Amino acid sequence: MRKLLLEKIRLTWYLYFLFATFFLIKLQIPKIELGSGALTLFSVNSFLYGFYIGPIMSGQKARIEELTRIIRAEANALFSMLLETQKFSDKTKNELQDLFSHYVREVLRDRRIAQGEPEYEAIISYCLKYDGKDKAQMMQLLDKVVANQQNRTQFNMLMSSRVYSNEWMVMLILFTITVIFILLVNTNGILGLNILSAFLAAALSMLIVVLIKLNTLTHKKAKEIWAPLQKLLATNYYRID
């Protein structure tokens, strides 16, 4: 899966950059005195922003946890299948292991199980076409290969369960209004209040950045998803994470 440059930058650097940007903006733009009506609008908007983004962020965290569980389940299933290959002749065993290796490498290359669909179908075809003396054992292996399709289907469904464009639209509108209010409020030139305002605007922006990273699976938490398959491949299918 190709990553945008902005998705590769660490969250700490985002915080530094956003703070510096908002602090300079705070010093430059004209200030206004907020009346009771404006303060009410600011309070309502801020509440809606937190109320709206909170469940969406929790949902994306739960999505990553479920993706991690499914990949671990698939790694266990693949480990079990490869144990089954020990029952066959060296030629058949090596051919099957090559097919499984090709599938795992393809999945890890683009970080998408769907990307390995042709390779997985090749495993199924090999099992179906097999006509050697170990036909019964091959059918047992085929049963496990087919059963693992459930993990693959669930994974692909979760991969497509991203934040919708209309949800981004609402969040960005609420976020923009909140930040504008923070930057426009009159702090009477007090440096400490200007710093606090910049930090507050940066923190609200960080929520959007974190959500983007969770949504695109570039967050640190999402990097653990593929560890079981990576360990399986790195140990030549002798160990799983």
Side-chain angles (χ1 to χ4, degrees), residues 44-132:
V44 171
N45 187 86
S46 300
F47 170 78
L48 289 175
Y49 177 62
F51 180 80
Y52 196 80
I53 197 174
I56 294 177
M57 188 170 291
S58 297
Q60 289 301 307
K61 289 180 180 178
R63 170 177 171 248
I64 290 176
E65 291 173 359
E66 185 63 12
L67 287 171
T68 303
R69 185 196 67 79
I70 292 172
I71 282 293
R72 187 173 297 277
E74 175 163 40
N76 285 326
L78 291 172
F79 184 71
S80 177
M81 291 179 224
L82 284 154
L83 286 178
E84 290 284 333
T85 65
Q86 302 300 319
K87 301 176 181 179
F88 303 109
S89 65
D90 289 342
K91 179 178 181 295
T92 303
K93 179 180 68 175
N94 292 334
E95 288 175 349
L96 281 168
Q97 289 183 352
D98 286 343
L99 288 171
F100 279 107
S101 295
H102 191 35
Y103 165 69
V104 175
R105 288 193 181 95
E106 190 65 22
V107 168
L108 290 174
R109 184 172 66 86
D110 279 346
R111 299 293 195 267
R112 289 185 300 176
I113 283 181
Q115 195 68 21
E117 189 66 33
E119 289 71 25
Y120 204 79
E121 289 178 357
I123 297 173
I124 296 175
S125 297
Y126 183 92
C127 295
L128 288 172
K129 294 177 181 178
Y130 181 79
D131 197 26

Side-chain angles (χ1 to χ4, degrees), residues 164-209:
Y164 295 110
S165 57
N166 61 316
E167 293 174 321
W168 281 118
M169 188 184 305
V170 173
M171 281 187 292
L172 290 175
I173 290 173
L174 295 172
F175 161 75
T176 303
I177 295 173
T178 303
V179 170
I180 287 175
F181 269 113
I182 293 171
L183 296 177
L184 288 178
V185 67
N186 189 3
T187 56
N188 296 316
I190 300 175
L191 179 62
L193 290 179
N194 286 335
I195 292 174
L196 288 176
S197 297
F199 266 125
L200 180 56
L204 293 174
S205 303
M206 285 296 291
L207 291 177
I208 296 291
V209 174

Side-chain angles (χ1 to χ4, degrees), residues 14-46:
Y14 274 108
L15 180 61
Y16 295 152
F17 173 76
L18 290 168
F19 168 73
T21 301
F22 285 126
F23 183 71
L24 291 174
I25 293 174
K26 181 70 178 177
L27 294 178
Q28 298 297 323
I29 65 173
K31 313 300 186 299
I32 60 173
E33 294 290 342
L34 299 181
S36 58
L39 287 173
T40 301
L41 178 61
F42 174 60
S43 300
V44 171
N45 187 86
S46 300

